[in-house]
Amino acid sequence: MNELDKPQKQYIPWVVVGLMDFVTVIGFDDIIYNFQNQGLVAFTSWIIMTFFYVIPYNLIVAHMGSTFSEHGGGITSWMRETNGDTVGYYAAWFYWITGLPYVVDVANSVVISFGWIANGNGNIQANLGNAWFGILTAVIFVIFIWLQHFFKNKSLEIMSTIGGGAMFIMTVLFVVMTFVGLSKGAPIATRPFDFKAFIPKDFFSLSFLSTFGLFVFAMNGSELAAPYTKDMRHPARDFPKALKMIAIMTMFLTLFGTFSLGVYFNAHHLPNDLKMNGSYYAFQAIGRQFGLGT
């Protein structure tokens, strides 16, 4: 075949890779989970995690992804190239098995979203029962598979870009509306709301350390974009850019998002279903503040 007749390879811009990765690293629900566990103290925990975990973690992923940019297996390829086929196989298997709960959780979130669209509340599981809720979750899972087949190689790129961009825009909107409300004299739900309220009373207590460990789970996933380095025009240069973008976006979402949650929710008396419906409660509170919604 003539060189001119060969189809040109489609490269993925580093910004798109960053958005694809961002949606796997952190989400609005992640800050809500940890806010329910620690309250305003979560703000300090996010700062600690940013400097002692997120930044070093992203630097490691950026280095490994750039070094093995021609391999499409991500962390599996890294382990295989550095430790052999057996370790690479176990890395792939463990990575697959640990991802299953996350996939199910995402499908559950979609079902809950439809419940809010249809009923305006988060009672869909109580109304349907566990059996039907599980069936709907399975249906959503199958639809995801069909979409991936329909869009073929572009499915993850398209959906992750939309999801990552929408997630960050939603967070920016939430934070901006929070400060607009404060500028108009809106009350702060959490009291006290001073410097001491953001500092853990005992860094080495079992209650703090047990919840602090969940922050690691909330902020990992940067390596999931590594397989796409082979589809970047200049992976050694551009992949680190994507990781830096993720770090900045993650810092904004976690720090300002936690601050805003403390404004709208009383950290000492939180709803029992905040982890399931917290995102909707947050924007519902903003709507009420500005006379919108119910």
Side-chain angles (χ1 to χ4, degrees):
M1 179 184 292
N2 191 302
E3 290 291 331
L4 296 177
D5 296 331
K6 291 183 178 179
Q8 293 186 346
K9 183 176 180 179
Q10 297 292 322
Y11 293 102
I12 303 177
W14 67 268
V15 174
V16 173
V17 173
L19 289 173
M20 292 168 62
D21 212 8
F22 174 70
V23 77
T24 65
V25 171
I26 196 74
F28 201 79
D29 287 340
D30 290 315
I31 63 173
I32 289 176
Y33 294 163
N34 291 289
F35 181 77
Q36 183 159 33
N37 291 331
Q38 291 192 351
L40 292 178
V41 174
F43 185 91
T44 302
S45 296
W46 287 122
I47 294 177
I48 296 172
M49 288 298 299
T50 297
F51 289 99
F52 289 95
Y53 181 77
V54 175
I55 294 177
Y57 172 52
N58 283 358
L59 289 174
I60 292 171
V61 172
H63 175 71
M64 297 296 288
S66 301
T67 302
F68 300 105
S69 59
E70 297 301 319
H71 300 272
I75 192 171
T76 303
S77 295
W78 306 344
M79 298 301 293
R80 183 181 182 184
E81 292 297 317
T82 55
N83 296 282
D85 292 346
T86 302
V87 176
Y89 168 80
Y90 283 117
W93 189 86
F94 280 113
Y95 211 72
W96 168 75
I97 201 68
T98 55
L100 288 180
Y102 174 77
V103 173
V104 174
D105 184 62
V106 171
N108 286 341
S109 299
V110 174
V111 176
I112 294 170
S113 299
F114 284 134
W116 276 90
I117 293 173
N119 304 319
N121 58 56
N123 298 328
I124 184 171
Q125 185 171 6
N127 295 333
L128 290 177
N130 292 334
W132 277 107
F133 188 84
I135 292 172
L136 283 178
T137 299
V139 170
I140 295 298
F141 188 76
V142 172
I143 291 175
F144 281 157
I145 296 175
W146 179 82
L147 286 174
Q148 184 177 8
H149 173 74
F150 181 78
F151 289 106
K152 295 183 179 179
N153 295 333
K154 290 288 184 179
S155 61
L156 189 60
E157 180 181 346
I158 294 173
M159 290 190 289
S160 296
T161 301
I162 295 173
M167 178 65 66
F168 189 66
I169 292 172
M170 183 179 75
T171 305
V172 172
L173 177 63
F174 182 61
V175 172
V176 169
M177 297 302 287
T178 299
F179 282 97
V180 170
L182 290 175
S183 67
K184 294 184 176 182
I188 297 176
T190 302
R191 292 294 180 182
F193 199 80
D194 53 15
F195 179 77
K196 291 183 179 180
F198 291 84
I199 304 300
K201 294 181 179 179
D202 186 357
F203 275 99
F204 301 102
S205 66
L206 181 61
S207 60
F208 176 77
L209 292 177
S210 60
T211 55
F212 186 77
L214 296 176
F215 285 76
V216 177
F217 180 77
M219 304 183 83
N220 62 9
S222 293
E223 71 284 349
L224 288 173
Y228 295 93
T229 54
K230 64 183 180 63
D231 296 319
M232 302 176 75
R233 187 180 295 274
H234 304 291
R237 182 188 67 190
D238 292 343
F239 189 59
K241 288 183 182 179
L243 271 295
K244 291 176 183 177
M245 184 184 80
I246 293 170
I248 294 172
M249 294 170 69
T250 300
M251 289 174 63
F252 180 90
L253 186 149
T254 54
L255 298 180
F256 286 100
T258 300
F259 176 90
S260 298
L261 288 175
V263 172
Y264 288 104
F265 295 98
N266 184 347
H268 308 293
H269 300 284
L270 294 170
N272 293 329
D273 61 341
L274 186 70
K275 292 182 179 180
M276 178 182 292
N277 296 303
S279 300
Y280 307 97
Y281 290 156
F283 281 90
Q284 193 176 53
I286 289 180
R288 288 172 179 168
Q289 176 179 286
F290 290 93
L292 302 173
T294 56

